[in-house]
Structures are given as structure tokens and as C-alpha cells.
Amino acid sequence: MVLVALASGLTGCTKSKFKTYNGPEVTRVIVDKSEREMFLLHHEKVLKSYNVDLGFAPNGHKEFEGDGKTPEGSYLIDRRNPNSDFHLSIGISYPNERDIAKARAVGRDPGGDIFIHGRPNKRSGIGPDWTAGCISVKNREMEDIYAMVKDGTLVTITP
């Protein structure tokens, strides 16, 4: 009986990375690359803002796999990964048809697997703009974003 009480007490103390959100719907995500900021909006009202890290070559639109750039343009949140190597992650629908055509026109692969994610689970001491083209926030912030932003949400990434 004591073990059951102790076990239930310990599970009550653990903190889950999966939060719930009951506020206004996030209708759009805007990432301003030049300011290194991301905004979660309900129509025109900013609900939350975050400082972000970008790809290791942050200037310009992602053109092909391995260029280290974060895409620019309009995309959708199209998937989520609760078991990500980066705490939690939500996928961005890059590449679109235009991105694919542009990369193929020069004989390259446009790449993919662009996410908004937390910090890596296996590394520390990361400096600014360290991703391979993704958008990174602090882990606690990613927990909020993961709960607030639903699949199908519009993401606009500006230069």
C-alpha cells in the first residue's frame, strides 16, 4: 500500500512536455527572419511572440538540400513529431511545387524536413542560427507552441 501511494505521488510530480491550450485559436504563424522573431496570431492579434534561431546560413530563401537556409514564403503546418530529436517539433510543408521546380531547374534536390522545434535532446551549448534550415525556440516555448498551433495553420516566413 505504501508503494502505491509513493508511486502515485511521484507521477504527480513529473512534468509532461504535452500541455493543453484552451485560448483563442492560432490562425497564423509569422516568422520574421531578419528580426529573428516568431508570432502566433489569432487573426490580426498577436497571442505570443518568441525569439528564434534559424538555419546556419540565414539570409535568403532555401533553394536546395544542404544549403543551411530557412525557407521564405507561405506554407502550412502539416505534421507533428512528439518523439523528435529536438524536444518537440511541428512540420512545415516545405517544399511546395514552386520550390521543387526551382531546385530541379538547376539539377538539385529542394530538401525537406523543415520544422519548428525545440533544442536538441543530445547537444548543448548551441550558438545562434545553428539549424540546418529549421526554426528553433527554447523547449518550454516549444511545449506551448506544440499545444497552441494545429495542423493546417498557415505559416508565413518573411526575409
Side-chain angles (χ1 to χ4, degrees), residues 30-82:
I30 296 177
V31 177
D32 182 338
K33 288 174 54 174
S34 65
E35 297 295 324
R36 305 296 191 280
E37 289 184 302
M38 179 170 64
F39 303 93
L40 307 186
L41 287 86
H42 174 71
H43 301 294
E44 300 302 317
K45 181 182 179 193
V46 174
L47 300 173
K48 292 271 194 170
S49 64
Y50 305 95
N51 293 322
V52 299
D53 288 320
L54 303 170
F56 61 82
N59 297 324
H61 175 61
K62 182 165 195 61
E63 297 177 19
F64 52 85
E65 185 173 22
D67 67 6
K69 296 180 181 180
T70 301
E72 297 170 357
S74 293
Y75 302 93
L76 297 174
I77 297 299
D78 65 351
R79 62 202 181 280
R80 49 194 60 239
N81 185 354

Side-chain angles (χ1 to χ4, degrees), residues 2-3 6 15 17 35 42 88 98-99 131 135 145:
V2 173
L3 287 176
L6 181 59
K15 188 172 182 180
K17 64 183 177 180
E35 297 295 324
H42 174 71
L88 291 170
R98 184 176 170 198
D99 297 321
T131 78
I135 299 157
I145 295 164

Side-chain angles (χ1 to χ4, degrees), residues 62 71 75-84 88-96 111-117 133-134 142 145-147 149-153 155:
K62 182 165 195 61
Y75 302 93
L76 297 174
I77 297 299
D78 65 351
R79 62 202 181 280
R80 49 194 60 239
N81 185 354
N83 300 311
S84 172
L88 291 170
S89 62
I90 55 176
I92 296 173
S93 63
Y94 175 88
N96 60 29
D113 284 338
I114 301 297
F115 287 86
I116 299 170
H117 59 66
C134 295
M142 191 61 222
I145 295 164
Y146 196 87
V149 178
K150 303 301 177 203
D151 290 0
T153 302
V155 179

